[in-house]
Amino acid sequence: MSKYLSKLTIPLLAVVLGLIAGAIIMLISGYDPIAGYGVMLDGIIGEQYYIGESLRTIITYALAGLAVAFAFRTGLFNIGVEGQLIVGWLAAVWVGVAFELPKFIHLPLAIVAGALAGALWAFIPGYLKAKFRVHEVIVSIMLNYTALYVTNYLINDILTDKKDRTERIADSASLSSPFLQSLTDYSRLHWGIVIAIICIIIMWFILEKTKMGFELKAVGFNQNASEYAGMSVNKNIILSMVISGVFAGLAGVMEGLGTFGYAAIKGGFTGMGFDGIAVALLGANTAIGVALAAILFGGLKAGALNMPLQIGIPSEIVDIIIALIIFFVAASYFIRWLAQRFNKKGVK
């Protein structure tokens, strides 16, 4: 089996095994798995509205996955995507609320503000990693909680008198699209889909077609060899985390300027940043892989909302299925062995 086919087969088998295991769990729990998956599929593509909501969910998952994948490809584990997403969300909304500008200035300014906020939040663990060799996982985990509570404080005591959420952003800063909404029976689908596609292309181009991308990957693979070759290890570590933070901040922008139009006090994490880890793992940390994994996970999450309403299956079943898919991805040796066995039987 070629290396390309092997990379493609392992995620596909992991998805199939995860769905089979999910069906077994539904069966043991007293639910009909065929009906369950049927209702889930209907909640993904059964109506124009469902298609729009699925695409809207996929947008954020794609950007969160790109953030994790970019850091992974350069030897870093950015587990702080959740916090970077939250600060990007608030920064974009603040610009959307605080200024009155023409749309061609206001919207780009709000998007850039969210991206920069995510980049700044990711710069902190990147700088500490580069200068003091403090592990980025520890710092970024702590910064997730810092982001959650700092943004809650700002919303509650600084930015609004409502005590629970900000004012709605101005129309001039909104990603909302009446055109896309009319195509999808007035779902919340927005122009962020274009931004997500552009970011997927940008990640691919940076890592595969530029000298900067080569250096970033080289430093992640072997810091000593990279330094011997004249590359700046510290600069590339920081740069990698900052670019990763930009993608994470943009994921927050999609929620603030596209889906909701405001920032609210959060009782806990959104979970989208952590789900980005699963998207990156299933997508093998490649741009196109992340896009495909985001379609799967975004669809599963959107379709899961239909299950408890129509046939009483808890939507948490989907979280179990996603966890099982990631388990099978992690057990890649076993998946590879199965693929080789099937391949040998096919040759005979």
Side-chain angles (χ1 to χ4, degrees):
M1 181 180 293
S2 69
K3 185 178 179 182
Y4 176 79
L5 285 177
S6 177
K7 285 184 176 179
L8 182 64
T9 301
I10 290 171
L12 285 176
L13 279 176
V15 171
V16 171
L17 290 172
L19 292 173
I20 291 172
I24 294 171
I25 291 172
M26 279 190 266
L27 200 59
I28 293 173
S29 303
Y31 300 111
D32 182 355
I34 296 176
Y37 283 135
V39 168
M40 180 191 294
L41 185 62
D42 183 66
I44 299 171
I45 58 173
E47 298 177 11
Q48 289 178 315
Y49 176 83
Y50 292 150
I51 293 173
E53 285 298 298
S54 297
L55 289 172
R56 177 192 63 79
T57 308
I58 289 166
I59 292 168
T60 306
Y61 275 115
L63 288 166
L66 289 177
V68 178
F70 192 93
F72 268 146
R73 290 288 298 278
T74 56
L76 298 169
F77 188 9
N78 183 9
I79 204 171
V81 170
E82 178 73 20
Q84 294 148 27
L85 181 154
I86 291 172
V87 298
W89 184 338
L90 181 60
V93 168
W94 175 73
V95 172
V97 171
F99 298 96
E100 294 182 6
L101 298 166
K103 191 176 184 71
F104 73 93
I105 297 176
H106 202 182
L107 179 56
L109 183 64
I111 293 171
V112 169
L116 289 178
L120 177 61
W121 214 251
F123 169 82
I124 300 170
Y127 179 82
L128 293 176
K129 170 82 170 185
K131 292 297 183 182
F132 305 106
R133 294 299 180 261
V134 180
H135 204 290
E136 71 276 7
V137 170
I138 296 173
V139 178
S140 56
I141 286 176
M142 292 190 294
L143 284 174
N144 284 335
Y145 288 94
T146 306
L148 176 64
Y149 295 122
V150 167
T151 54
N152 279 351
Y153 165 75
L154 291 174
I155 294 169
N156 189 62
D157 295 317
I158 305 295
L159 299 180
T160 179
D161 294 329
K162 290 187 175 182
K163 302 300 181 184
D164 59 347
R165 67 178 181 88
T166 66
E167 300 288 342
R168 291 195 64 85
I169 60 173
D171 289 340
S172 56
S174 176
L175 284 167
S176 178
S177 168
F179 171 70
L180 293 177
Q181 290 170 5
S182 66
L183 290 179
T184 55
D185 197 19
Y186 301 99
S187 72
R188 291 175 291 174
L189 182 61
H190 51 78
W191 287 120
I193 191 171
V194 177
I195 295 174
I197 293 171
I198 291 172
C199 286
I200 290 167
I201 296 171
I202 287 174
M203 174 175 161
W204 170 82
F205 184 78
I206 289 176
L207 290 179
E208 306 300 336
K209 299 296 181 180
T210 66
K211 176 185 175 183
M212 177 180 68
F214 176 80
E215 289 191 5
L216 289 171
K217 290 187 291 184
V219 168
F221 184 73
N222 191 319
Q223 292 185 7
N224 293 328
S226 300
E227 189 171 15
Y228 182 77
M231 301 176 190
S232 174
V233 172
N234 290 348
K235 183 194 79 173
N236 281 290
I237 288 174
I238 295 173
L239 181 60
S240 173
M241 287 298 291
V242 166
I243 295 174
S244 175
V246 167
F247 289 135
L250 287 173
V253 170
M254 299 303 102
E255 298 299 291
L257 302 185
T259 301
F260 295 101
Y262 60 84
I265 291 176
K266 298 172 181 61
F269 293 124
T270 68
M272 292 179 290
F274 297 117
D275 287 340
I277 300 172
V279 172
L281 286 174
L282 183 62
N285 302 315
T286 63
I288 186 64
V290 165
L292 294 174
I295 291 171
L296 173 67
F297 282 10
L300 288 175
K301 287 285 189 177
L305 300 176
N306 230 21
M307 295 167 69
L309 297 175
Q310 293 199 19
I311 54 177
I313 297 179
S315 59
E316 287 77 11
I317 287 286
V318 168
D319 294 325
I320 297 173
I321 293 171
I322 290 175
L324 288 167
I325 291 172
I326 298 307
F327 169 78
F328 288 120
V329 170
S332 58
Y333 175 82
F334 174 69
I335 303 296
R336 195 175 293 111
W337 177 81
L338 281 178
Q340 289 172 350
R341 293 282 294 179
F342 281 116
N343 188 52
K344 287 178 181 178
K345 288 181 180 180
V347 171
K348 291 179 182 180

